[in-house]
Amino acid sequence: MSGGAPKFVVITGGVLSGLGKGLVAAGLGMLLRSRGLRVTPIKFDGYLNVDAGTMNPYEHGEVYVLDDGTECDMDLGTYERFMDVTLEGDNNITSGKLLLSVISKERRGEYLGKTVQFIPHVTGEAKRWILRVAEEQGADVVIMEVGGTVGDIENAYFIEAIRQLSNELGRENFAFVHVTLVPELPSGEQKTKPTQHSVSVLRSMGIDPDVIVARSRRPLEPKARQKIALYCGVREENVISDPDVGSIYRVPLLLEEHGLAERVAEVLGMSSAKAQAPGHGEGDLAELRRLLDRWESSRESVAVAIVGKYTHLRDAYASLLAAIDHASMHLSLRVDVRWIEATDVERGLIDVRSELEGVQGIVVPGGFGRRGAEGKVESIRVAREEGIPFLGLCFGLQLAVVEYARSVCGLEGANSTEVDPETPHPVIDLLPEQRGVGGKGGTMRLGAHPAVLRPGTLVHRIYGADLVFERHRHRYEVNPMYHNLLRGCGLVFSGTSPDGKLVEFIELPDHPFFVATQAHPEFKSRVLRPHPLFTAFLRACSGEEI
Ligand code: GLN
């Protein structure tokens, strides 16, 4: 439990977005945790969506799902993976959530005739939110990442709320870390002016940064460091160089080497006490370094095809790629990911069999809607017929059932009603109780749900457990009217909801590895704790018998 009042680290971004601020926050969290501190992250997003549920992956990358069913920004995934924490909806504050809460209170008459304003009402709501999360989650340190770039209108009031809070709780309890870009001229000279400008924007909002993390192509040169320290009013040792590294997993190690956690702990006045004491996670960094060294020098590799619909936008599959990385890191196996655009397969633009030649495994990940579905079904057929290891996730399970129904059970035209509402064999369908309920988002099955695993199945062996909880995000289900027929044709239901009504896992016995789940196990994989399904899948890809 927390040893006293919490401390706060505030991470802002300057110059431009996409600098990897989330990774700095997650990496710092991992470093502070390795010192035995309880760390709670909060991500603030300025957009007006209440959650990320209806956001298109093209626009915003993957929609990440928490145990409690919150659909949120993918940065929360980065936090969970690196810090090895389980977060709640409250760890993601959006402008939409804050305003909804203030406006609902206004409608209930809670402001009693007052003019409801950004300051003090919305800022007050933000402050209470932050303090509540810190208290409820027993944090020693709260790491708050402010989305976007300083100077954006939509995050300005949030930065103001934090400024007020630092004033009320004492500036000594706050460390302001500003992440900026130090570009390089063709001559190789590192330029600090953009950093100076973004710090002056921050200052105009009443915040003096304590630490500057300078993102650059190459390590920061002494001259650039001195200039940043001088113009931005921070100590030279508090300018942390964060150069490009080959792998994101090296970032925490790099930040540790460059002293980020030490500097932050010092600013917070924790340097002599807890922050320096060896903590429960002290072995984590050593373990990460050992794994990376082995992984990066490993020569064994497999090719895995991902058949999807957003294949030119890798962010749409961030958690899937992370889960593959974690498992392959622990197996010291290099994975060459080959993207197959399901829409191209469907349109006959590419031949899936030749595309899958030389591939040792196939993943069909989650997805929505009709486009590309037939291309995925075709890939699943090849995986089943050719004995190529297959892992189906959510939509991937549904389409594996569709393929099996058509090819093995002889149900011609079988489909999901999501793809073909007129199908004669709706093997995947909405349950009767879901029909006619709510608008978009209303009927979605979200968050962690239990699955009972059947002893004797591959899935049961892989998990080594009778009951598992995985995160869900879907509307459709394997139609209970077809359960007996599918099972009768040899499809094994290796896991179901405790009442037996919903199919959670399927597998095929006469196949090296044909496993699919209605859930999204990729959301529970951690850098240092890979998910067993992914490890087993990759082992199967490299030819091991599972
Ligand atoms: N579109 C499917 C459903 O809603 C699957 C969703 C998914 O893959 N996340 O049930």
Side-chain angles (χ1 to χ4, degrees), residues 365-369 393-396 398 418 428 444 473-477 518 520:
F368 289 82
L393 308 171
C394 203
F395 205 29
Q398 298 175 356
E418 179 184 11
I428 306 294
M444 195 82 104
R473 181 171 186 256
H474 62 111
R475 286 198 180 80
Y476 293 79
E477 303 285 350
Q518 186 57 78
H520 288 279

Side-chain angles (χ1 to χ4, degrees), residues 206-220:
I207 287 171
D208 281 318
D210 299 297
V211 173
I212 291 183
V213 174
R215 291 280 298 109
S216 53
R217 208 166 62 78
R218 292 176 304 113
L220 208 58

Side-chain angles (χ1 to χ4, degrees), residues 250 288-298:
R250 289 254 169 223
L288 180 61
R289 181 171 294 115
R290 191 183 62 81
L291 284 171
L292 285 170
D293 288 345
R294 240 183 32 187
W295 189 37
E296 286 166 4
S297 60
S298 144

Side-chain angles (χ1 to χ4, degrees), residues 23-24 27-28 30-31 82 213-220 240-262 285 288-289 292:
L23 202 53
V24 171
L28 177 62
M30 188 178 196
L31 302 182
F82 280 90
V213 174
R215 291 280 298 109
S216 53
R217 208 166 62 78
R218 292 176 304 113
L220 208 58
I240 306 287
S241 171
D242 182 9
D244 292 348
V245 268
S247 145
I248 60 161
Y249 303 104
R250 289 254 169 223
V251 170
L253 300 175
L254 180 102
L255 295 175
E256 175 69 4
E257 258 164 51
H258 293 192
L260 177 65
E262 230 177 283
L285 297 180
L288 180 61
R289 181 171 294 115
L292 285 170

